[in-house]
Amino acid sequence: MIISKNAITAVANQTKHTSSRTISALSASNQYYFATSNQLNNNKTQSRNIVGLVHAIDKRVYRWAKSVLPPISKTEKIALGCGTIGFDRDIFGGSPSLQHLVDTYQPKLSEEEKSFIDTKVDTLCSLLNDHDVSMKRDFSKEAWDYMRDEKFLGMKVPKEWGGLGFSTQAVSMVLAKLATHCFDANATVAVPNSLGPGELLVRYGTDDQKEYFLPRLADGTLIPCFGLTGPHSGSDATSLIESDCVVESRNGELGVRASFKKRYITLAPVAGVVGLGLNLSDPDNLLGGCGNEGFTVALLERDHPGLRMGRRHMPLNAAFMNGTVEGEDVWIPMSMILGGQERCGFGWNMFVECLAEGRGVSLPAGSIGAARGVAAGVGAYSRVRKQFRVPIAEFGGIQEALASAGSDGLITIAGGDLMNAIVDNHEAPMVISSVMKQNCTERGRRIIEKGMDIAAGSAICRGDNNYLGNAYMSLPIAITVEGANIMTRSFQIIGQGLTRCHPHMVDLMTALQAPKSEEKQAVETFVKQFHKIVGHGLSNFALSITRGLSATMSTKTRSKTAYRDGDKLLDYHEKQLLRLSANFALTADLCFSLGGALKFEELLMGRLADALGAIYLGYATLHHYERRRGVEGLEALTEHALLRLETEAQNALKSASDNFPGPLGPLASTVMKIGCFPLGNLTRPYREPRDSLTKEVSKLMTTPSGIRDFFEDGVYMAQEGVPHQLSDLIRAVPICVEADKIASTLRREKRQPTVAEAEKIAEADALRDVLIQVNVFDHLTSEEGAEDYVRPALEGTEERMVALERKRFDHHAA
């Protein structure tokens, strides 16, 4: 190919110009690149500065929070890790599910358990005369032997060790039935089946300890007790003041030297073995890494050298055995430490995890028994007893007291059923067990007080005819044990619940307790959980408002008789409880504004415990209705109970919002009121039950009905023909009701009765005359019964009459 010079020159010129433009473009590009790169570097630097600033702020906030929050003690750390959380966490989360409860927890009995309750428990009750027990301050040898032979003291001991291996539901129902007849029997059987220490042995005992003790506990050869409380350790039992032991070595054997003073120990005067709570120290490091210092449980048999047991307390008028356990410088070999040496210092874990059964099951069972006894017995008495020729069941004041006792009774029974099912589901809910103990024992006291008010004179005159008096004197005892109710309500429930059950609090608190070496990771965890808590609070704030407005609207527009439709009853009340749960969860989040000072704000915690208790028991009552629907009148009783519970929760939250403490109290109070009650009084719609509903519930309790059958189920009934006031009252109700109907018809028709009608009226009158009688005694003491005994007041009268000229007044006197 031939190319001209001009063409070559033209191409060269073109290439020159193109290269020049390319170089210019590359130069501009380089300038842009370096400018952009510098800007990016500046942005990265700024980002790093911002991140650093944020991290610095986070670290300052973390350190401030760490300084505000008091260090968590070893005991508190153990408590936070013990037991389980479940439905209580759902309430603190703000959105619990009734369906979850129904699907998960089904209280039930085996055929063996049903037979035991129907036969063995009835036989034991027949061996006990409640009045005689209270006067003699003990059971007969026959009754003690029967309890042992039929394994009443070993119901929770597994069958492989010779026990009955009963469910929690079965134990609760046994205890409740015993309480309808004799509260002392209830208390006596309760201890070996809760904190015996049988259950502790099953879970933590060594093989040798199980092999020796469990068969003897199962058949009652050894009656157990648990020694924890001391003179200076009441509700703060785990402080173990004056219950110290030191690790020592004697003759090549490792053990502890212990000194202790225990009181209020149920069954101690007759116990063959005691589980003893001690504060172990190891100054010479003899444990060698196997076991730790701290709360430790020892097992001592009654004849252990240096152990003193036998002296008795007299808890009010109760006859159950209760007394002291003492010893000084008592030598205890390591083999007698529950679980062996490796379980030294592990006592608090043992105690807390097993406490759910004692607090959440055994003590409420007594209140369940009281509820059934009052509803069945006093309901019958109010129909049998007449004043002004009218059964007192027709008086408004009696109806109000009866309906209140009835709905409290349903609440207690429902709470017990759910708690039993939770424990039988292998859970140990510490917060719910505290709620059950405090709430049910208090309701039990209120129930028995209502019964006493209605029965009046017949309830205060002691003797075989009095089926209320001993229960009235026993229930206040239940309120004081395993943590006095005042402490449980005002400190324990929320103090533990807020940290243990809040969805994000445990991780946040763990981060705040981290050592300095782990601060970087702890800050990240703290910030993450703090953001979650804020989000949780905002979510429940929104839910509180929306649910509050919806709940108010549904309450204002609800028919007075809507509860008669079971589906509508469930739907309405579940929505109200969801609203209250969101209110409670929001308030719980606001409590974080108090920091570590929360533990000193017991008035606030008490109100929140009231709200939490009402919400939990509200769900328990719905859970009960869902399982038992079909019982005649259950809709009315459930409605009465839930209206009261919702009002209790609402009033507790209102009181908390009015009195929110702390430097940020006014702000927290405002947020709480806006969230919980966005339209003020208009969004506080819950009220006590209407009079018409109260009258309906009272009538169901005093006339033959499904509700009377519901309460009578589980009440001890003596065989017909055997005098027993409670049984006789219950059996008299249908006769008296029928006679009253005949009398009403005769008045309305203004005619004389037929022969059959007259016989029925006469039968009822005869029953009434017998059943309203109270016991009277020739003398009340053995001294007073001596043949030559003269009462001091009469002796003084005779002395004064001697000096008088006129000895008596009669118509012959001048």
Side-chain angles (χ1 to χ4, degrees), residues 674-696:
I674 293 172
C676 297
F677 317 113
L679 301 180
N681 287 334
L682 186 62
T683 39
R684 288 194 292 273
Y686 308 126
R687 301 291 183 269
E688 292 291 324
R690 295 176 303 279
D691 290 351
S692 58
L693 181 60
T694 293
K695 292 177 180 179
E696 181 181 355

Side-chain angles (χ1 to χ4, degrees), residues 195 226-243 261-265 277 295 313 348 351 355 359 437 477 479-488 491-492:
L195 278 175
F226 194 88
L228 183 64
T229 306
H232 300 286
S233 304
S235 295
D236 183 23
T238 53
S239 62
L240 296 172
I241 299 170
E242 294 185 312
S243 297
K261 289 183 178 180
K262 304 292 186 180
R263 65 180 184 181
Y264 307 152
I265 310 305
F295 187 176
H313 297 300
W348 181 232
F351 178 73
L355 192 61
R359 285 192 307 190
K437 188 272 174 180
I477 299 171
I479 282 170
T480 69
V481 301
E482 297 202 27
N485 275 7
I486 287 180
M487 186 279 292
T488 303
F491 178 76
Q492 188 175 51

Side-chain angles (χ1 to χ4, degrees), residues 574-750:
E574 183 180 9
K575 288 178 179 177
Q576 309 316 306
L577 292 174
L578 274 170
R579 176 261 178 104
L580 290 166
S581 297
N583 293 166
F584 173 81
L586 169 63
T587 307
D589 288 335
L590 290 171
C591 287
F592 295 135
S593 66
L594 293 166
L598 174 63
K599 65 169 60 180
F600 304 108
E601 298 296 347
E602 296 180 21
L603 295 177
L604 173 65
M605 288 196 287
R607 293 175 182 120
L608 295 187
D610 291 342
L612 175 61
I615 293 168
Y616 166 74
L617 291 171
Y619 274 101
T621 303
L622 286 180
H623 175 262
H624 178 272
Y625 177 78
E626 181 65 75
R627 293 183 301 105
R628 297 294 299 271
R629 64 160 74 196
V631 174
E632 175 200 2
L634 188 57
E635 287 79 16
L637 185 60
T638 301
E639 171 82 354
H640 197 280
L642 285 164
L643 290 176
R644 293 181 61 213
L645 288 169
E646 287 154 8
T647 303
E648 286 179 21
Q650 171 187 265
N651 292 346
L653 292 168
K654 173 63 167 58
S655 183
S657 69
D658 288 340
N659 297 276
F660 209 99
L664 298 176
L667 176 60
S669 174
T670 300
V671 172
M672 185 179 172
K673 287 179 178 179
I674 293 172
C676 297
F677 317 113
L679 301 180
N681 287 334
L682 186 62
T683 39
R684 288 194 292 273
Y686 308 126
R687 301 291 183 269
E688 292 291 324
R690 295 176 303 279
D691 290 351
S692 58
L693 181 60
T694 293
K695 292 177 180 179
E696 181 181 355
V697 169
S698 176
K699 185 175 181 180
L700 289 166
M701 296 175 65
T702 59
T703 57
S705 68
I707 290 300
R708 275 202 61 79
D709 294 340
F710 164 72
F711 281 119
E712 289 172 11
D713 182 29
V715 173
Y716 166 65
M717 294 286 288
Q719 293 182 357
E720 290 201 43
V722 176
H724 183 246
Q725 186 75 357
L726 181 56
S727 303
D728 294 341
L729 279 167
I730 290 172
R731 292 188 177 116
V733 170
I735 299 169
C736 291
V737 168
E738 185 179 355
D740 290 343
K741 287 181 179 178
I742 292 171
S744 177
T745 300
L746 294 175
R747 287 193 299 271
R748 186 174 63 253
E749 296 179 357
K750 298 180 181 180

Side-chain angles (χ1 to χ4, degrees), residues 196-345:
E199 191 174 358
L200 296 176
L201 274 163
V202 171
R203 294 192 187 190
Y204 305 110
T206 65
D207 291 340
D208 285 344
Q209 290 169 349
K210 291 178 181 179
E211 185 176 348
Y212 178 83
F213 284 109
L214 288 178
R216 290 166 172 79
L217 292 174
D219 65 13
T221 299
L222 292 177
I223 296 172
C225 69
F226 194 88
L228 183 64
T229 306
H232 300 286
S233 304
S235 295
D236 183 23
T238 53
S239 62
L240 296 172
I241 299 170
E242 294 185 312
S243 297
D244 300 307
C245 66
V246 180
V247 180
E248 293 183 355
S249 178
R250 294 187 182 182
N251 301 320
E253 182 182 24
L254 202 61
V256 299
R257 176 173 50 83
S259 294
F260 43 87
K261 289 183 178 180
K262 304 292 186 180
R263 65 180 184 181
Y264 307 152
I265 310 305
T266 299
L267 297 186
V270 295
V273 60
V274 55
L276 202 61
L278 300 168
N279 184 26
L280 182 144
S281 60
D282 182 25
D284 298 325
N285 296 316
L286 297 178
L287 292 176
C290 181
N292 297 287
E293 294 183 323
F295 187 176
T296 300
V297 179
L299 293 169
L300 303 185
E301 292 183 83
R302 189 176 188 85
D303 60 355
H304 190 92
L307 176 63
R308 298 194 304 275
M309 297 168 63
R311 296 198 302 164
R312 290 183 69 176
H313 297 300
M314 188 186 294
L316 293 179
N317 198 58
F320 68 86
M321 294 290 169
N322 187 272
T324 59
V325 177
E326 297 177 335
E328 289 87 31
D329 295 326
V330 178
W331 170 251
I332 304 174
M334 264 316 154
S335 61
M336 303 182 77
I337 298 299
L338 181 57
Q341 181 179 337
E342 66 183 58
R343 292 294 185 179
C344 285

Side-chain angles (χ1 to χ4, degrees), residues 195 348 350-361 430 433 482 492:
L195 278 175
W348 181 232
M350 299 180 186
F351 178 73
V352 169
E353 290 188 6
C354 293
L355 192 61
E357 197 133 345
R359 285 192 307 190
V361 177
M430 296 308 303
S433 70
E482 297 202 27
Q492 188 175 51

Side-chain angles (χ1 to χ4, degrees), residues 89-95 498 501-505 529-544 581-582 584-590 592:
R89 182 179 181 129
D90 295 341
I91 297 175
F92 274 87
S95 296
L498 195 60
C501 300
H502 191 281
H504 312 298
M505 191 58 183
Q529 297 305 318
F530 179 76
H531 289 164
K532 286 183 178 180
I533 289 175
V534 172
H536 183 262
L538 292 174
S539 173
N540 279 304
F541 180 78
L543 287 173
S544 288
S581 297
F584 173 81
L586 169 63
T587 307
D589 288 335
L590 290 171
F592 295 135

